[in-house]
Amino acid sequence: MLTHIRHVTPVPPNTATGAVAEVYRQLATDFGVYAPPVVLHSPAPEALRACWALLRETLLADGLVSRRAKEVVAEAVSLGNRCPYCVDVHGAAATGLIDRPGRHPVDRDPAADPELEALAEWGRRSGEPSDRPRPPFPLAYGPELIGVAVVFHYLNRMVHVFLQESPLPATSGPVRKVALRIASRVMGGLAGVGAAPGRSVDLLPPAPIPATLGWSLGQPHIAAAMARSTRAVYAAGTQVLPERIRALVLATVADPPATTLAAGAFFDAALTALPPDERPLGRLALLTALAPYRVTAGDITACRVAGADDRTLVLAAAWASLNAAHLIGAGLDNDLTAHMDGLGTEAKGEPGSSGDGGPHSGR
């Protein structure tokens, strides 16, 4: 599966040492495979630890929300971001958990499970700048479901840049259908195994929880993973990205081009604000944040000509991806808070309410 990774050379599991080896051990135990979306970070160990902590503590760790519901959100976010690799992996996991081989949850009749369908629609449109669906879950589920959405907005960007299009055969028809059935059984089986919260948190040193991550506070392991991973990625990003690039990316993410049709010319014009020697890495960071599907092998080559190594490429993309994902998470948090304002105890999912149960809860 490591052959799925492109543009950088991952650390092979049989030669890994130190923190990389520890992440690989946890990955094999808790996820069941050396997942390429995580392993692609291995040229930058701090980003590897951060990525794993984010993924494990939101998607894998046991909590109030079922793994099935979280896999539905993971697949739906990936659909919205046009990330076929993550759609195939997490669609297979969701299908396997639902025990309906060969069909993705978002393709099912809404009457079959309207709550899962509402979650899928929310996840698919979670990256839209406005007019997102009302959050279809109580406040208590926010840390897990917003957390999964944020993590997949991050991972989808990294996968677009550094992985092949899909782990499954590129063919259509019967061959692909068989591959989907096999993947559903395998991924559903792996996803059905519980994971105790907090195991990955101590891979990174303690960090204060920023106000922008306040939505995570209801689940301490998620809050800790978010805070520690954020500080690690942001600190490492400042080592490889000049201040001018970081300022340009942050300003553009906060006020992106109105349409994707105008994006190419917009990015080219924005990059003229940078010195010529910073433009290749600036282009990689800017595209990763806003249009990762536009990153080409030529863009990677230009970064290398300008002096970037594997670690620099991974950290630049990770910094940009996480900033974009955090901005989306802040919007989802605002949506949830606005929706819950003025609602009663039952709607908020507070102790003693019906929001503590239902099809989303437990495993």
Side-chain angles (χ1 to χ4, degrees), residues 275-347:
D277 63 325
E278 293 182 4
R279 288 175 191 170
L281 204 56
R283 180 176 177 82
L284 174 63
L286 197 59
L287 288 178
T288 301
L290 290 170
Y293 51 88
R294 289 177 175 264
V295 175
T296 66
D299 293 321
I300 300 296
T301 299
C303 289
R304 291 201 180 277
V305 170
D309 57 10
D310 283 2
R311 177 176 180 271
T312 297
L313 292 172
V314 169
L315 289 177
W319 181 90
S321 296
L322 196 58
N323 271 289
H326 279 173
L327 187 64
I328 292 169
L332 298 176
D333 181 33
N334 289 339
D335 292 349
L336 183 59
T337 301
H339 176 50
M340 294 302 165
D341 281 348
L343 296 183
T345 298
E346 180 174 346

Side-chain angles (χ1 to χ4, degrees), residues 62-86:
D62 296 336
L64 298 176
V65 181
S66 71
R67 177 70 179 270
R68 179 177 71 169
K70 290 189 283 189
E71 291 288 356
V72 167
V73 171
E75 181 197 17
V77 170
S78 303
L79 277 167
N81 286 329
R82 293 180 290 174
C83 181
Y85 194 102
C86 293

Side-chain angles (χ1 to χ4, degrees), residues 70-152:
K70 290 189 283 189
E71 291 288 356
V72 167
V73 171
E75 181 197 17
V77 170
S78 303
L79 277 167
N81 286 329
R82 293 180 290 174
C83 181
Y85 194 102
C86 293
V87 169
D88 284 343
V89 171
H90 296 281
T95 301
L97 287 168
I98 294 171
D99 195 27
R100 296 190 63 179
R103 299 184 68 191
H104 287 177
V106 293
D107 295 329
R108 291 161 42 245
D109 178 2
D113 194 330
E115 293 196 11
L116 283 182
E117 297 298 333
L119 268 184
E121 178 68 5
W122 174 81
R124 185 180 64 80
R125 294 174 55 191
S126 60
E128 296 179 1
S130 60
D131 297 324
R132 292 180 295 267
R134 187 173 64 184
F137 50 84
L139 192 64
Y141 295 174
E144 292 171 67
L145 294 175
I146 293 177
V148 169
V150 167
V151 169
F152 278 86

Side-chain angles (χ1 to χ4, degrees), residues 130-256:
S130 60
D131 297 324
R132 292 180 295 267
R134 187 173 64 184
F137 50 84
L139 192 64
Y141 295 174
E144 292 171 67
L145 294 175
I146 293 177
V148 169
V150 167
V151 169
F152 278 86
H153 279 292
Y154 169 80
L155 278 176
N156 292 163
R157 286 164 168 78
M158 298 297 289
V159 166
H160 266 301
V161 176
F162 294 111
L163 292 189
Q164 67 184 39
E165 186 170 282
S166 172
L168 300 179
T171 58
S172 59
V175 173
R176 183 168 174 83
K177 289 181 179 179
V178 170
L180 279 171
R181 291 193 196 100
I182 295 171
S184 295
R185 286 196 293 269
V186 172
M187 293 305 299
L190 294 174
V193 179
R199 183 185 181 199
S200 69
V201 168
D202 287 336
L203 290 168
L204 296 161
I209 300 169
T212 53
L213 297 177
W215 53 263
S216 66
L217 290 172
Q219 292 280 11
H221 62 286
I222 294 177
M226 285 284 169
R228 296 181 186 206
S229 297
T230 296
R231 186 164 75 171
V233 170
Y234 284 6
T238 63
Q239 297 173 12
V240 301
L241 288 172
E243 183 178 355
R244 283 180 292 251
I245 293 178
R246 301 197 309 272
L248 174 63
V249 171
L250 292 176
T252 309
V253 168
D255 186 21

Side-chain angles (χ1 to χ4, degrees), residues 2 5 9-45 48-49 52 199 203:
L2 300 193
I5 298 171
T9 302
V11 177
N14 61 349
T15 65
T17 59
V20 174
E22 176 56 27
V23 171
Y24 283 0
R25 281 192 290 270
Q26 292 193 18
L27 189 57
T29 300
D30 292 338
F31 200 71
V33 294
Y34 295 116
V38 178
V39 175
L40 71 83
H41 294 76
S42 60
L48 176 70
R49 296 194 299 269
W52 171 238
R199 183 185 181 199
L203 290 168

